[in-house]
Amino acid sequence: MSNLLELKHVTKDYGSFKLEDVSFTLPGGTILGLIGENGAGKSTTIKCILNLVHQDSGSIRIFGQDNSGSNWREDIGLVLDESTFHDLLRGEDVGKILSKSYKHWDADLFARYLKQFDLPGGKEIKTYSKGMKTKLSIAAALSHHPRLLLLDEATSGLDPVVRDEILDEFLTFIQDEDHAILISSHITSDLEKAADYITYLHRGRVALQGGKDELLESYGRLVCTKAQLDGVDRGFVVGTRSSQFQCEALIQKRCDFQRIYPGLTVDPVTLEEIMVFTVRGDAK
């Protein structure tokens, strides 16, 4: 299983914001969730991947090629959080326009997606809901047979039913191990359903990364008194939140913690809780 995307020590300094030393890989047949709060550097990372902005240092390889070239562009499908198609176009017009832009445009596949997603091809896009516009963008991205899908907050603002339908389509897409998906999102519940790997950006740096299941297994949430927390080895504590009545802590190396502190209960944790403890929790 080869890597379709590789970032090594990517840095981009805007002065007011710095993407710093970001590294991750995306193997074929998998979905990587790029998570983080707004302004954490997710969109900057995607712009660097697409060479829309050039990184100051580090390297990016797509399909084994340096991203400074252009041979890979035909094999990339891009979906943004806002539709890039003019409101006065009809859904079916999108297919006609894109057929002139992509060598491998599949008109039959696009028509099939319009039907599958219940998109009225004869109506103007301005009449579409946000969910319909997103599904149109995904249909367009898939209909030129890309190997790699890049989605920048594409599912934000969609209702759960639409998001679930889209996630099912993504899982079908990666059944071919020559395909992969990078999803930038702060809706972590979607990624818990679909992602194989997680890279968490916080203030422009990688706060943690790894296999999704391994991360969720490794971390846990401890609820205890202040006295109990004071007795815990701080090497286990990633972040804490305190109230008048209790303390909460994000614990790493959960199995080791429970072996050393059998009297304390550590609950399973979600990706969202990991983010909240990192962003809002007290520094260790």
Side-chain angles (χ1 to χ4, degrees):
M1 185 166 55
S2 60
N3 293 325
L4 273 62
L5 177 64
E6 300 177 357
L7 278 72
K8 294 183 178 179
H9 309 296
V10 172
T11 296
K12 178 64 180 178
D13 192 349
Y14 287 106
S16 60
F17 172 79
K18 185 177 184 180
L19 190 71
E20 187 170 3
D21 196 30
V22 172
S23 299
F24 61 80
T25 59
L26 176 55
T30 67
I31 296 175
L32 185 146
L34 186 64
I35 68 174
E37 67 276 15
N38 291 333
K42 303 187 299 297
S43 293
T44 298
T45 300
I46 289 179
K47 288 177 182 177
C48 287
I49 292 170
L50 294 170
N51 204 24
L52 298 176
V53 298
H54 187 68
Q55 70 268 19
D56 298 325
S57 61
S59 65
I60 300 175
R61 298 184 70 80
I62 303 175
F63 314 131
Q65 308 171 50
D66 188 276
N67 77 323
S68 60
S70 59
N71 293 338
W72 47 266
R73 294 187 182 277
E74 186 77 20
D75 291 321
I76 295 285
L78 177 64
V79 182
L80 304 176
D81 62 339
E82 294 291 340
S83 173
T84 57
F85 304 124
H86 196 285
D87 277 350
L88 295 182
L89 291 174
R90 297 172 300 169
E92 59 192 24
D93 294 333
V94 171
K96 296 174 183 177
I97 293 170
L98 294 182
S99 67
K100 297 178 174 59
S101 302
Y102 291 103
K103 291 184 293 185
H104 302 297
W105 180 260
D106 189 332
D108 291 337
L109 180 59
F110 183 69
R112 194 175 82 206
Y113 276 127
L114 292 184
K115 184 176 181 180
Q116 177 181 330
F117 289 155
D118 294 321
L119 298 174
K123 290 189 176 181
E124 294 179 342
I125 295 173
K126 67 180 181 181
T127 66
Y128 285 18
S129 67
K130 180 173 176 57
M132 293 168 69
K133 289 179 180 179
T134 298
K135 288 192 285 187
L136 178 63
S137 296
I138 291 170
L142 290 171
S143 292
H144 62 91
H145 297 287
R147 295 171 58 195
L148 174 62
L149 278 181
L150 300 179
L151 298 104
D152 190 6
E153 300 286 0
T155 59
S156 64
L158 302 183
D159 67 67
V161 174
V162 172
R163 294 208 314 272
D164 201 57
E165 180 183 6
I166 290 171
L167 290 177
D168 284 345
E169 195 60 42
F170 293 160
L171 291 171
T172 300
F173 178 78
I174 61 163
Q175 293 307 304
D176 183 337
E177 290 197 356
D178 195 38
H179 294 164
I181 302 176
L182 171 66
I183 304 178
S184 158
S185 180
H186 60 267
I187 304 176
T188 55
S189 59
D190 287 350
L191 301 178
E192 286 180 10
K193 295 177 184 177
D196 300 287
Y197 300 99
I198 296 293
T199 294
Y200 174 27
L201 293 182
H202 178 53
R203 296 178 179 173
R205 296 182 63 92
V206 175
L208 63 89
Q209 62 181 335
K212 177 202 65 184
D213 293 340
E214 288 78 7
L215 288 174
L216 293 177
E217 181 66 28
S218 176
Y219 288 83
R221 184 172 67 95
L222 170 67
V223 180
C224 61
T225 66
K226 185 179 186 305
Q228 288 173 319
L229 184 59
D230 288 341
V232 168
D233 180 346
R234 301 302 288 184
F236 286 108
V237 180
V238 176
T240 64
R241 294 187 300 181
S242 301
S243 68
Q244 182 180 353
F245 303 104
Q246 67 180 21
C247 295
E248 294 179 272
L250 179 66
I251 298 297
Q252 60 184 342
K253 301 178 182 176
R254 182 169 66 176
C255 290
D256 291 342
F257 180 90
Q258 291 180 313
R259 176 174 50 83
I260 297 171
Y261 304 100
L264 297 178
T265 301
V266 180
D267 297 321
V269 72
T270 65
L271 291 174
E272 181 174 337
E273 286 173 320
I274 292 175
M275 285 181 58
V276 168
F277 272 103
T278 303
V279 175
R280 299 182 59 190
D282 304 323
K284 180 172 66 172

